[in-house]
């Protein structure tokens, strides 16, 4: 089996595993949520999390950009530039993430007021919101770190770690919910998942960068490359922002005008469709690294092989 086919199949399986985690969180765990925190609190959390998901616009798909740049280098036989290209991508990504946590921290109070969140729930929701915000930031970091092995057509390690950490999140949220932590359990489980994933992927990516064939002696970020990365940020930001607005606004609007119970019912119903559409998107995402590699080498025969 060629390296391209192995990469595509691995990413396809990883996408399926990721959708299983989403299915478990959005559907299988719902009875546990309702049993431990109740439908009203769960509805408020879904609306709160929907607003938090708008911060996903700060992701700007930078992990995909890093991934494709590294794959293109691989296709051109310029593996010695991988370490510097990767570190420059992380540098650009760091500039993106700097305002994320302050925005998340100051956005909670106006959000709570808009939703009419009861005063007795605000302290727990604030803590859960902060945990989720840090978890979101760490998920961006994890995606960027995983872009290196994926770009090198070596996706097995990050795919397996992503799935295992997803299982850790499920176990953690069930344990902490039944331990009486309430909605805090949901936010903390998200934080725990991506903290573990970020630490493990950081170790693995550093180990790859220090290999001589990937330019271990030339890993310091290039300002020219950082400018190149940042040049794609504005359109990607607005694309992600509008996509997040359209896909995540419904529970918030429903809760604001119809109540938390209907917001929860809507989100639970929508979860199945979200998983199915995600599976389709996984097929597309699985071929990105291979296409970038063969296109970087301008080899028509290999491009056709990767396509078919």
């Amino acid at each position: 089996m060629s390296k391209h086919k192995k990469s595509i199949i691995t990413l396809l399986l990883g996408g399926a595993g990721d959708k299983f985690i989403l299915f478990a969180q959005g559907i299988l765990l719902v009875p546990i949520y309702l049993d431990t925190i109740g439908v009203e609190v769960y509805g408020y959390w879904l609306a709160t999390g929907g607003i938090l998901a708008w911060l996903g616009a700060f992701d700007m798909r930078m992990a995909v950009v890093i991934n494709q740049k590294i794959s293109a280098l691989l296709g051109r036989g310029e593996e010695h530039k991988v370490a510097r290209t990767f570190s420059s991508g992380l540098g650009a990504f760091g500039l993106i993430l700097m305002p994320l946590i302050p925005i998340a921290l100051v956005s909670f109070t106006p959000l709570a007021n808009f939703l009419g969140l009861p005063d007795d729930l605000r302290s727990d929701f604030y803590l859960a919101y902060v945990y989720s915000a840090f978890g979101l930031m760490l998920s961006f970091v994890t995606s960027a770190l995983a872009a290196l092995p994926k770009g090198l057509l070596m996706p097995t390690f990050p795919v397996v770690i992503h799935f295992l950490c997803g299982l850790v999140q499920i176990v953690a949220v069930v344990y902490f919910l039944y331990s009486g932590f309430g909605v805090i359990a949901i936010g903390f489980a998200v934080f725990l998942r991506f903290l573990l994933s970020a630490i493990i992927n950081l170790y693995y990516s550093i180990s790859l960068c220090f290999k001589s064939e990937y330019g271990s002696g030339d890993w310091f970020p290039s300002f020219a490359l950082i400018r190149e990365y940042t040049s794609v940020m504005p359109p990607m930001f607005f694309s992600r922002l509008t996509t997040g607005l359209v896909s995540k606004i419904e529970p918030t609007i429903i809760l604001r005008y119809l109540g938390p119970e209907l917001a929860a019912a809507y989100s639970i119903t929508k979860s199945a469709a979200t998983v199915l559409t995600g599976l389709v998107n996984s097929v597309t995402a699985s071929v990105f690294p291979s296409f970038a590699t063969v296109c970087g080498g301008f080899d028509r025969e290999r491009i056709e092989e990767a396509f078919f």
Side-chain angles (χ1 to χ4, degrees):
M1 183 183 296
S2 71
K3 197 172 185 180
H4 295 285
K5 290 181 179 178
K6 184 177 179 181
S7 172
I8 291 172
I9 291 172
T10 301
L11 291 173
L12 275 173
L13 293 175
D18 190 44
K19 298 310 171 288
F20 168 78
I21 298 297
L22 290 175
F23 178 76
Q25 294 170 343
I27 297 178
L28 298 183
L29 293 183
V30 168
I32 296 176
Y33 294 142
L34 300 183
D35 181 52
T36 53
I37 61 177
V39 65
E40 181 181 7
V41 173
Y42 186 51
Y44 276 115
W45 173 251
L46 291 172
T48 305
I51 297 294
L52 186 62
W54 291 358
L55 295 177
F58 284 90
D59 174 21
M60 301 186 204
R61 307 297 291 173
M62 285 298 293
V64 176
V65 177
I66 296 172
N67 183 321
Q68 292 182 345
K69 283 185 175 294
I70 291 173
S71 292
L73 291 175
L74 187 65
R76 294 196 296 266
E78 297 177 345
E79 291 91 339
H80 62 283
K81 297 181 179 179
V82 164
R84 170 164 285 198
T85 300
F86 177 63
S87 64
S88 300
L90 292 183
F93 210 35
L95 296 175
I96 298 172
L97 295 180
M98 287 175 61
L100 177 61
I101 294 302
I103 291 175
L105 293 178
V106 301
S107 65
F108 177 79
T109 299
L111 170 61
N113 293 334
F114 174 76
L115 295 177
L117 186 67
D119 292 339
D120 60 327
L121 295 178
R122 293 201 177 199
S123 60
D124 283 355
F125 265 76
Y126 179 74
L127 190 54
Y129 191 80
V130 171
Y131 273 130
S132 293
F134 276 98
L136 181 67
M137 182 186 71
L138 288 170
S139 75
F140 296 163
V141 173
T142 298
S143 296
L145 292 172
L148 175 58
K150 288 180 180 179
L152 294 171
L153 304 185
M154 300 163 55
T156 303
F157 185 86
V159 163
V160 171
I161 293 302
H162 185 72
F163 179 73
L164 292 178
C165 288
L167 294 179
V168 169
Q169 179 185 356
I170 293 174
V171 173
V173 74
V174 172
Y175 173 79
F176 288 115
L177 280 172
Y178 280 113
S179 297
F181 285 86
V183 73
I184 298 173
I186 303 177
F188 180 75
V190 172
F191 171 74
L192 178 63
R193 172 188 182 178
F194 289 109
L195 176 64
L196 292 174
S197 184
I199 292 172
I200 297 171
N201 277 286
L202 176 62
Y203 171 79
Y204 186 63
S205 296
I206 289 176
S207 68
L208 288 176
C209 282
F210 275 90
K211 289 188 175 182
S212 57
E213 61 264 36
Y214 299 134
S216 59
D218 188 26
W219 56 266
F220 194 77
S222 161
F223 290 107
L225 282 173
I226 291 176
R227 284 197 301 270
E228 187 177 330
Y229 276 112
T230 55
S231 67
V232 304
M233 288 183 183
M236 298 295 280
F237 175 79
F238 287 108
S239 173
R240 293 284 286 171
L241 182 63
T242 53
T243 301
L245 180 64
V246 171
S247 62
K248 302 295 184 181
I249 190 64
E250 303 103 322
T252 305
I253 298 300
I254 293 173
L255 185 146
R256 180 66 177 82
Y257 296 104
L258 298 177
E261 293 83 1
L262 286 177
Y266 174 84
S267 296
I268 294 167
T269 304
K270 185 183 177 183
S271 294
T274 302
V275 171
L276 291 176
T277 55
L279 284 172
V280 176
N281 293 334
S282 296
V283 176
T284 304
S286 66
V287 302
F288 283 167
S290 291
F291 260 97
T293 302
V294 296
C295 290
F298 302 104
D299 188 328
R300 181 181 178 85
E301 182 178 343
R302 291 176 65 200
I303 292 174
E304 292 177 350
E305 177 189 356
F307 179 81
F308 290 108

